[in-house]
Amino acid sequence: GQQLNQSPQSMFIQEGEDVSMNCTSSSIFNTWLWYKQDPGEGPVLLIALYKAGELTSNGRLTAQFGITRKDSFLNISASVPSDVGIYFCAGPRDDKIIFGKGTRLHILP
Amino acid sequence: DSGVTQTPKHLITATGQRVTLRCSPRSGDLSVYWYQQSLDQGLQFLIQYYNGEERAKGNILERFSAQQFPDLHSELNLSSLELGDSALYFCASNSGGGEQFFGPGTRLTVL
């Protein structure tokens, strides 16, 4: 079936560092979505990308729709403690949304 | 606040029992999606309803069923519960675009 592969699976960083994560697929997506899930909460949409090559920012977050339409990247600048959580990429497919398994972000004290 | 509501927030029950989880979509959204998330796992798509009709099915067990009512709220029924059914259950809604908006989830614990 369709799969979205996210890497890394988890990250341990210091507060203030920049973060990069990515999501790849063996097939093309026409929309890429990035969600964040806080512990015990539902995922919240961070950024939606609709066009190959598109670069979109939301505060300290920047996401890019890969030119091949088979990948997407999420960057977080100057991380803060509230960035802790799981980041999911997702893409619509046949009335469903396919989710990656997530990148778990930890911030070291 | 996504505008999607789910009740109850927490549910504790025993094996073999049956429970019903409820979801109200965002105002105006016709589609409701149900997901299961086990501990430290990703989101597993269960089923989608659109305007009262089943639209898509994922890895939903035969012991599970869902429906969407005329007022567009949806219920997920889980029966003959097993320990492995313990998980977070999320519903999401949208109005036809790619983005889905998630509710806060119901945490089900089966003892």
Side-chain angles (χ1 to χ4, degrees):
Chain A
Q2 304 290 340
Q3 269 200 313
L4 292 178
N5 301 305
Q6 286 191 249
S7 66
Q9 280 190 321
S10 63
M11 305 180 73
F12 291 82
I13 62 166
Q14 300 281 352
E15 183 179 348
E17 284 186 25
D18 296 343
V19 172
S20 290
M21 60 188 79
N22 69 66
C23 184
T24 60
S25 171
S26 58
S27 56
I28 287 170
F29 280 86
N30 292 317
T31 298
W32 286 92
L33 307 170
W34 284 94
Y35 286 86
K36 183 195 176 202
Q37 185 179 23
D38 290 329
E41 303 291 328
V44 173
L45 183 66
L46 298 174
I47 293 178
L49 301 160
Y50 301 103
K51 192 175 169 184
E54 179 182 354
L55 191 71
T56 297
S57 293
N58 178 5
R60 292 178 296 104
L61 277 60
T62 302
Q64 183 161 22
F65 192 140
I67 201 75
T68 65
R69 294 195 282 156
K70 293 184 178 180
D71 56 12
S72 180
F73 308 88
L74 177 69
N75 296 312
I76 306 172
S77 63
S79 58
V80 299
S82 61
D83 292 334
V84 166
I86 306 175
Y87 292 80
F88 291 102
C89 65
R93 176 84 62 193
D94 300 330
D95 289 331
K96 294 184 286 193
I97 289 194
I98 311 295
F99 281 86
K101 293 190 183 301
T103 291
R104 190 178 291 271
L105 182 62
H106 305 268
I107 296 187
L108 300 170
Chain B
D1 184 354
S2 67
V4 178
T5 60
Q6 288 187 249
T7 56
K9 181 91 174 153
H10 300 279
L11 197 49
I12 301 175
T13 188
T15 54
Q17 295 297 304
R18 182 178 190 277
V19 297
T20 297
L21 313 183
R22 184 189 163 101
C23 169
S24 291
R26 291 189 318 160
S27 177
D29 285 355
L30 299 179
S31 279
V32 170
Y33 305 76
W34 286 98
Y35 293 86
Q36 180 192 57
Q37 186 179 39
S38 301
L39 188 65
D40 290 337
Q41 296 293 313
L43 292 156
Q44 298 295 319
F45 169 69
L46 295 177
I47 197 163
Q48 179 208 354
Y49 278 81
Y50 177 84
N51 202 21
E53 303 275 332
E54 182 184 302
R55 174 68 68 90
K57 230 172 183 176
N59 299 321
I60 187 166
L61 299 172
E62 284 192 14
R63 299 184 286 109
F64 296 0
S65 65
Q67 52 185 330
Q68 186 179 26
F69 295 87
D71 67 352
L72 300 177
H73 91 271
S74 178
E75 292 180 355
L76 179 67
N77 302 297
L78 314 176
S79 61
S80 303
L81 284 167
E82 301 174 359
L83 295 177
D85 297 328
S86 296
L88 274 165
Y89 291 84
F90 290 103
C91 84
S93 75
N94 70 6
S95 55
E99 307 151 27
Q100 291 180 4
F101 296 87
F102 283 79
T106 293
R107 181 177 292 279
L108 173 67
T109 302
V110 182
L111 300 174

